[in-house]
Amino acid sequence: MTDAVEARPGTGAVRHSRVLVIGAGFAGLGMAVGLARAGAGEFVVLEKSDEVGGTWRENTYPGCECDVPSVLYSYSFAPHRRRGGGRASQPEILDYLRRVSDEYGVRAKIEFGAEVGDGRWDEAARRWHVRTVDGREYVAQFLVVGTGALHQPALPRIPGAGTFGGPAFHSAQWDHSVDLTGKTVAVIGTGASAVQLVPELAARAGALQLYQRTPPWVLPRRTSRLAVDRVPVTGRIARALTYWNAELLAAGLNGPPALTRPLEGRARRHLRRQVQDPELRRALTPGYRIGCKRILRSDDYYPALSLPGTQVVTDPIAEIRPDAVVTADGTVRPVDVIVYATGFRVAGPLARLPLAGRGGVTLQERWQRDGIATHLGITVAGLPNAFLLTGPNTGLGHSSLVFMIESQVRHVLAAMALVDREGAGAVDVRADAQAGFHADLHERLASAVWSAGGCASWYVAADGTNHSLWPGFSWRYRLRTRRVRRRDHELF
Ligand code: N01
């Protein structure tokens, strides 16, 4: 099917395509390139903002980079090999994604400024009808949702936070107009974002107060023991070596505590080497198993905390006043700026996008009724021809999410090919196949470190269920998603 008329607000025109992709981040772009390379038909990408990049467009905090080496944190068809190897900064990754969207000819397929409001499956026509919030309409046989999991900032409810008189912003909504030079800055949170921005702020600000609730495990930055960054091997070999090196960690995260003890020893030695003050060292020593929260990698985080202008505050925050942060012990610490490095509302994007499948029941209603359940984190029974990218339980604590995205893209293409091969118009995963996958997944998750490791993290919901991570090796996911099993699906 080819384009009818360009959909424009208020024109009443409806744009038709075979595939509609929502989002132009790593996932949506990967899908778009996959569709283009496979010649899988006409497609349109709807992107709410004015540029590609998703999380790498939105997160611009100082020091922002990816803690996975770039040769692995890039598409297999376009390995990102940096000069000198290692990790890429946010501007580099954004530039990489811009280049991919240009070089693979998918930029022309993206409608920017198109924020999707809702979607509805038309049973009779076997088509998805999608509307943007400004009223543009789209009709497609297949719908791919690549809206990402981590881009709606979570701001803690701290009494008085609204009364603060100075600049206050979230790490993912960095206010570059604020000059931090010489200022007293409070950073709340000590996760993956904080560990990257704290060293930058400590160097720039007059004084830094780091409010820590739970200390993270911090390892030295990945040094390439396999010398992939130095030996002039091809991108493919460098990627494979980096991949298998990372996969070793999956065994530990999903196995008994003894397997990750050596890693804890390494992190403790890193802390001992970098922090001399015993009291500070104690405050920075985690009391849960490594891997339970995301393992952080930094060589300059601990040194930044030992600087004379930096204070690590472990007393809980009780209140924020117009010019100060007050902790539970009654200490009032005046500050000029507050940075919330407090993470994201994980269920945000999918929970807010009403997608009505068979019988008019939305994805959200299904999940409220039955719990968050999918097949392979990609399909949901009752939502024919709809596919999630980076859906529930497809995140990784040990390796590159791009590997998972590419597995999903292949799966979506295989599902479309199955529909064509069978001369059908739609595919829906069977409820029993989904239930079987779900039961097996959660059985394996129960003993993994994220549930059994003695910590709280965004990986695990308040009710104790892990809806975020894939347990085990990522290659298992690749194998599991490689084919679309006919017997697990209904075609019509
Ligand atoms: O967020 P987080 P993040 N008072 O949720 C603390 C990805 N990422 O933005 O641990 C005080 O990890 C909270 O404390 P606690 C990656 O997947 C990737 O850092 O809950 N503190 C915690 O310390 C990562 O996992 C890269 O006790 C409060 C922090 O805020 C995900 O994004 C880089 C608080 C939140 O940590 C999220 O990371 C950056 C309160 N009221 C991010 N509320 C890569 O390099 C919360 N906290 C790939």
Side-chain angles (χ1 to χ4, degrees):
M1 201 178 286
T2 53
D3 286 6
V5 192
E6 280 249 323
R8 285 283 162 254
T11 62
V14 179
R15 187 169 182 184
H16 291 262
S17 60
R18 177 164 145 96
V19 189
L20 196 60
V21 180
I22 308 177
F26 245 113
L29 281 181
M31 188 71 238
V33 174
L35 288 163
R37 281 162 48 105
E42 186 60 33
F43 65 91
V44 175
V45 182
L46 301 180
E47 165 55 49
K48 72 176 157 81
S49 80
D50 59 359
E51 184 50 292
V52 301
T55 194
W56 297 105
R57 184 200 63 245
E58 292 191 4
N59 282 274
T60 61
Y61 58 80
C64 184
E65 62 174 12
C66 182
D67 57 12
V68 179
S70 65
V71 73
L72 188 57
Y73 196 79
S74 49
Y75 302 113
S76 58
F77 56 82
H80 183 194
R81 286 209 76 191
R82 308 172 63 242
R83 196 173 295 188
R87 310 162 14 154
S89 67
Q90 174 266 336
E92 285 175 73
I93 299 171
L94 183 55
D95 186 52
Y96 166 82
L97 289 173
R98 284 194 186 118
R99 262 188 292 124
V100 167
S101 63
D102 291 333
E103 284 171 17
Y104 288 83
V106 298
R107 186 177 281 278
K109 307 280 187 184
I110 306 171
E111 279 199 27
F112 292 102
E115 184 178 353
V116 173
D118 59 22
R120 174 180 61 83
W121 172 248
D122 178 343
E123 192 80 39
R126 288 177 297 178
R127 290 290 181 273
W128 277 97
H129 288 249
V130 167
R131 278 186 309 192
T132 57
V133 291
D134 61 5
R136 279 173 268 178
E137 290 191 49
Y138 302 82
V139 174
Q141 184 180 4
F142 298 102
L143 178 65
V144 184
V145 183
T147 47
L150 297 177
H151 69 155
Q152 284 175 351
L155 289 170
R157 285 202 194 102
I158 300 173
T163 68
F164 186 67
F169 46 86
H170 188 273
S171 56
Q173 295 171 331
W174 200 264
D175 186 344
H176 291 275
S177 70
V178 178
D179 181 6
L180 298 173
T181 317
K183 300 266 170 44
T184 299
V185 182
V187 174
I188 303 177
T190 54
S193 301
V195 84
Q196 295 178 353
L197 63 86
V198 159
E200 298 280 328
L201 297 200
R204 203 181 297 178
L208 181 78
Q209 298 164 11
L210 178 62
Y211 290 86
Q212 171 188 279
R213 195 162 63 178
T214 317
W217 282 102
V218 183
L219 285 174
R221 281 168 75 110
R222 277 176 229 256
T223 45
S224 187
R225 273 177 291 145
L226 299 163
V228 293
D229 298 336
R230 276 160 296 200
V231 178
V233 288
T234 68
R236 201 175 269 257
I237 294 172
R239 187 177 165 91
L241 291 174
T242 310
Y243 173 78
W244 289 107
N245 196 24
E247 250 351 49
L248 291 177
L249 182 56
L253 299 181
N254 294 277
L259 286 185
T260 42
R261 278 213 192 100
L263 211 55
E264 290 181 2
R266 195 158 168 238
R268 284 210 177 87
R269 283 194 296 282
H270 186 48
L271 175 61
R272 268 201 306 275
R273 262 199 302 272
Q274 293 203 314
V275 177
Q276 312 309 323
D277 175 1
E279 203 179 316
L280 180 58
R281 226 188 250 168
R282 239 189 326 274
L284 296 174
T285 302
Y288 54 90
R289 271 177 64 194
I290 196 166
C292 186
K293 289 171 178 286
R294 189 180 180 89
I295 299 172
L296 309 182
R297 293 172 192 270
S298 176
D299 291 343
D300 49 8
Y301 178 66
Y302 286 147
L305 305 189
S306 301
L307 292 174
T310 308
Q311 193 182 8
V312 177
V313 183
T314 55
D315 260 316
I317 300 172
E319 184 195 343
I320 291 177
R321 294 193 185 155
D323 58 354
V325 177
V326 186
T327 43
D329 62 355
T331 309
V332 180
R333 293 183 179 83
V335 296
D336 302 314
V337 180
I338 298 178
V339 172
Y340 291 97
T342 44
F344 300 87
R345 284 189 289 143
V346 185
L350 274 180
R352 278 147 158 244
L353 179 61
L355 294 177
R358 287 170 121 172
V361 184
T362 66
L363 174 66
Q364 296 70 28
E365 287 163 344
R366 277 167 216 278
W367 282 355
Q368 258 160 28
R369 193 185 59 198
D370 312 326
I372 297 177
T374 69
H375 187 242
L376 305 172
I378 303 175
T379 47
V380 179
L383 269 78
N385 287 6
F387 305 93
L388 310 177
L389 303 177
T390 72
N393 294 106
T394 65
L396 291 179
H398 70 281
S399 187
S400 170
L401 191 59
V402 183
F403 182 86
M404 301 300 271
I405 289 170
E406 287 198 59
S407 306
Q408 293 160 357
V409 167
R410 288 168 192 220
H411 189 82
V412 175
L413 292 172
M416 290 174 184
L418 177 68
V419 169
D420 291 348
R421 214 166 44 241
E422 299 260 333
V427 59
D428 194 4
V429 66
R430 289 186 190 280
D432 56 347
Q434 177 172 300
F437 169 77
H438 186 76
D440 175 54
L441 174 83
H442 286 281
E443 194 185 311
R444 285 192 291 141
L445 277 166
S447 59
V449 66
W450 312 293
S451 297
C455 80
S457 78
W458 67 262
Y459 296 149
V460 179
D463 69 357
T465 317
N466 184 340
H467 297 301
S468 308
L469 295 185
W470 171 252
F473 299 106
S474 62
W475 53 262
R476 279 225 161 134
Y477 186 74
R478 174 65 57 93
L479 288 181
R480 190 73 182 75
T481 51
R482 201 160 48 123
R483 272 198 230 107
V484 178
R485 282 190 210 146
R486 177 66 184 85
R487 66 173 185 277
D488 289 343
H489 295 84
E490 182 193 346
L491 284 125
F492 55 98

